[in-house]
């Protein structure tokens, strides 16, 4: 390399290289990428799944294994949500920093108490997992606990970034508190609403809003709706209270469409997690959007 080029490259390097290499984060689900981005926006964040995918069942593709191999920390839900794919991914990546019991593997569901044992059925193993419902990512009260624990873990892994991480943690908590106050107000108008769901994807938020999940299209958590279960649903007295069928974008719409045809109930197909749409590309915006849609149907039912 000519001297002039060397000087130019060195100066460029000085100008663009941060003091320390940015953290490399592997997020199992988009909601945890959103929290990681809030705390360490300069990090290199790889998200394993999208709102269009069922987070219980994905393939440990080579690109995911490579991303896991590069990671300083993997942020996943745990409580067996990823039991069908994460252990294989961790083992194939053989990243010694991201292993059970190491600081580089962070499970959000382990930071909070969980609602009822979920009996998560793992289709590949025919297994039942007793930890509780792992779908905590839309719970206004649990997320601040997760953020504090995640901030602690990130500080432990990148102590030189402590001040910046703590500042962003405080900013996130202040904003979330204001958002939560607004959601609390909205919840006052939603109490008494009953919906039919498919799986507990929105369960923590619905419960927080005092919206009843009166019907589940799944016969058992993790088992796809069957014809016999759907016919049971049709004769379930709880169906009379239902004002809306609410499913997530990654779910098969056919059972919900069938029930809507039988009952004339409206359907909402909403993102189960953050996606790249402007109204739903952060957890706070997604919760706003979900509450808006529920309020719309509550109003329509009142005036119907
Ligand atoms: Zn689940």
């Amino acid at each position: 390399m000519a001297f002039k080029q060397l000087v130019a490259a060195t100066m460029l390097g000085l100008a663009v290289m941060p003091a320390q290499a940015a953290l490399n984060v592997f997020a199992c689900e988009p909601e945890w990428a959103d929290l990681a981005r809030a705390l360490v926006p300069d990090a290199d964040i790889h998200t394993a799944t999208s709102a269009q995918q069922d987070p219980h069942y994905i393939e440990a593709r080579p690109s995911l294994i490579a991303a896991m191999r590069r990671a300083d920390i993997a942020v996943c839900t745990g409580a067996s949500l990823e039991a069908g794919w994460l252990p294989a991914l961790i083992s194939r990546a053989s990243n010694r920093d991201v292993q059970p019991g190491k600081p580089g593997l962070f499970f959000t569901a382990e930071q909070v108490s969980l609602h009822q044992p979920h009996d998560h059925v793992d289709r590949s193993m025919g297994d039942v997992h007793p930890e509780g419902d792992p779908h905590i990512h839309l719970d206004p009260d649990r997320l601040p606990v997760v953020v504090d624990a995640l901030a602690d873990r990130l500080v432990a892994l990148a102590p030189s970034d402590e001040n910046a991480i703590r500042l962003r943690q405080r900013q996130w908590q202040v904003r979330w508190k204001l958002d939560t106050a607004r959601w609390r107000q909205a919840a006052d108008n939603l109490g008494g609403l009953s919906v039919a769901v498919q799986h507990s994807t929105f369960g923590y938020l619905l419960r927080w809003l005092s919206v009843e999940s009166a019907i589940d299209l799944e016969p058992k958590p993790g088992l796809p709706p069957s014809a016999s279960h759907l016919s049971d649903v049709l004769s379930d007295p709880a169906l009379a209270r239902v004002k809306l069928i609410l499913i997530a974008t990654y779910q098969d719409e056919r059972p919900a469409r069938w029930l809507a045809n039988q009952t004339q109930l409206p359907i909402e197909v909403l993102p189960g997690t953050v996606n790249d749409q402007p109204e739903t590309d952060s957890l706070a915006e997604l919760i706003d959007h979900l509450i808006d849609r529920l309020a719309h149907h509550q109003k329509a039912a009142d005036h119907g």
Side-chain angles (χ1 to χ4, degrees):
M1 194 185 283
F3 178 68
K4 245 203 267 180
Q5 282 170 306
L6 182 67
V7 171
T10 309
M11 287 176 59
L12 194 66
L14 284 176
V16 297
M17 285 292 285
Q20 213 188 359
L23 270 181
N24 205 311
V25 178
F26 181 100
C28 281
E29 291 87 23
E31 56 266 30
W32 311 134
D34 182 56
L35 294 190
R37 206 172 294 117
L39 294 170
V40 283
D42 298 330
D44 189 352
I45 301 173
H46 186 94
T47 312
T49 57
S50 79
Q52 293 305 117
Q53 284 175 298
D54 182 342
H56 308 84
Y57 306 106
I58 63 162
E59 246 182 275
R61 298 186 307 275
S63 63
L64 284 183
I65 297 167
M68 180 64 95
R69 196 167 285 152
R70 286 194 302 271
D72 299 304
I73 180 172
V75 183
C76 298
T77 303
S80 296
L81 173 61
E82 302 99 345
W85 55 276
L86 185 60
L89 193 58
I90 288 174
S91 138
R92 286 203 220 158
S94 47
N95 175 342
R96 63 197 169 119
D97 294 329
V98 181
Q99 294 293 330
K102 288 282 181 90
L105 185 54
F106 181 89
F107 288 118
T108 58
E110 289 180 359
Q111 315 305 321
V112 295
S113 62
L114 302 180
H115 286 321
Q116 80 279 356
H118 192 46
D119 296 341
H120 237 94
V121 177
D122 182 319
R123 282 173 214 173
S124 61
M125 298 154 68
D127 211 346
V128 172
H129 307 293
E131 295 98 325
D133 183 344
H135 299 284
I136 58 167
H137 64 295
L138 298 171
D139 187 315
D141 293 338
R142 282 175 172 78
L143 284 175
V145 180
V146 171
V147 163
D148 282 347
L150 180 59
D152 289 349
R153 187 65 64 88
L154 291 168
V155 166
L157 290 172
S160 62
D161 296 337
E162 172 159 17
N163 289 346
I165 292 170
R166 293 300 181 202
L167 176 64
R168 295 197 195 95
Q169 176 188 0
R170 283 195 294 275
Q171 288 169 334
W172 188 94
Q173 293 289 1
V174 169
R175 275 197 308 271
W176 195 261
K177 212 171 199 171
L178 294 171
D179 288 338
T180 303
R182 196 175 66 251
W183 298 328
R184 182 60 71 198
Q185 250 174 348
D188 290 345
N189 303 318
L190 286 175
L193 179 62
S194 293
V195 299
V197 297
Q198 181 166 331
H199 203 64
S200 59
T201 310
F202 302 104
Y204 280 80
L205 177 62
L206 294 176
R207 184 188 285 236
W208 192 87
L209 294 166
S210 301
V211 171
E212 182 199 20
S213 300
I215 296 281
D216 196 324
L217 299 178
E218 291 184 337
K220 265 186 145 193
L223 285 185
S226 61
S228 72
H229 177 65
L230 289 176
S231 98
D232 289 348
V233 162
L234 214 48
S235 58
D236 189 330
L239 188 59
R241 303 197 293 277
V242 168
K243 299 289 190 289
L244 169 70
I245 305 166
L246 170 64
I247 64 170
T249 46
Y250 76 81
Q251 288 164 336
D252 182 356
E253 290 184 20
R254 284 171 299 179
R257 299 269 164 228
W258 179 86
L259 185 62
N261 274 333
Q262 301 292 317
T263 57
Q264 309 310 312
L265 284 168
I267 299 184
E268 280 282 344
V269 184
L270 294 170
T273 181
V274 294
N275 59 14
D276 55 5
Q277 299 300 305
E279 320 184 88
T280 48
D281 66 356
S282 73
L283 279 167
E285 282 167 304
L286 175 59
I287 293 175
D288 271 332
H289 184 66
L290 294 170
I291 290 177
D292 271 0
R293 296 314 301 158
L294 290 169
H296 169 84
H297 288 281
Q298 171 78 314
K299 233 187 238 168
D302 283 350
H303 295 141

